[in-house]
């Protein structure tokens, strides 16, 4: 199924967002757009109809971003680099 990547991208967005829920809509032309669920109101359309790759790129960049994990070794290495400068 072509929409698996798009569905996974929306699930990741929902995992990053605590208050707002998002969903995707697939058109008959195999295009996708992102919507924000608005409770009892009609969903809010957040993007234009996009091709699959463009839609996944848009959803991955939308909303809050997950902070990058940094290990203790990375922190120590950064300190060493700052000392050399």
């Amino acid at each position: 199924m072509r929409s698996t990547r798009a569905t996974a991208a929306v699930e990741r967005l929902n995992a990053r967002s605590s208050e707002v829920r998002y969903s995707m809509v697939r058109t008959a032309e195999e295009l996708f757009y992102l919507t924000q669920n608005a409770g009892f109101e009609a969903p809010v359309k957040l993007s234009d109809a996009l091709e699959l790759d463009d839609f996944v790129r848009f959803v991955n960049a939308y909303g809050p971003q997950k902070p990058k994990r940094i290990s203790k070794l990375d922190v120590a290495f950064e300190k060493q680099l700052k000392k050399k400068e």
Side-chain angles (χ1 to χ4, degrees):
M1 181 181 266
R2 281 183 37 98
S3 63
T4 304
R5 286 183 46 220
T7 304
V10 172
E11 287 300 317
R12 288 190 303 271
L13 176 61
N14 282 326
R16 293 190 314 254
S17 305
S18 59
E19 306 160 358
V20 182
R21 302 300 297 169
Y22 299 96
S23 59
M24 71 170 194
V25 176
R26 183 173 156 191
T27 66
E29 294 85 27
E30 298 286 325
L31 299 174
F32 301 88
Y33 62 88
L34 184 67
T35 61
Q36 177 182 341
N37 298 340
F40 296 109
E41 312 250 341
V44 178
K45 188 175 177 182
L46 299 174
S47 70
D48 295 328
L50 302 168
E51 293 285 331
L52 176 64
D53 292 333
D54 295 332
F55 177 77
V56 171
R57 210 172 299 119
F58 173 79
V59 171
N60 286 339
Y62 192 83
Q65 299 299 312
K66 190 173 183 179
K68 187 176 177 182
R69 290 182 62 185
I70 300 174
S71 70
K72 293 178 184 177
L73 296 174
D74 291 333
V75 172
F77 183 65
E78 288 290 327
K79 285 182 182 178
Q80 287 180 353
L81 287 177
K82 289 181 181 178
K83 286 181 183 177
K84 289 184 179 182
E85 291 178 356

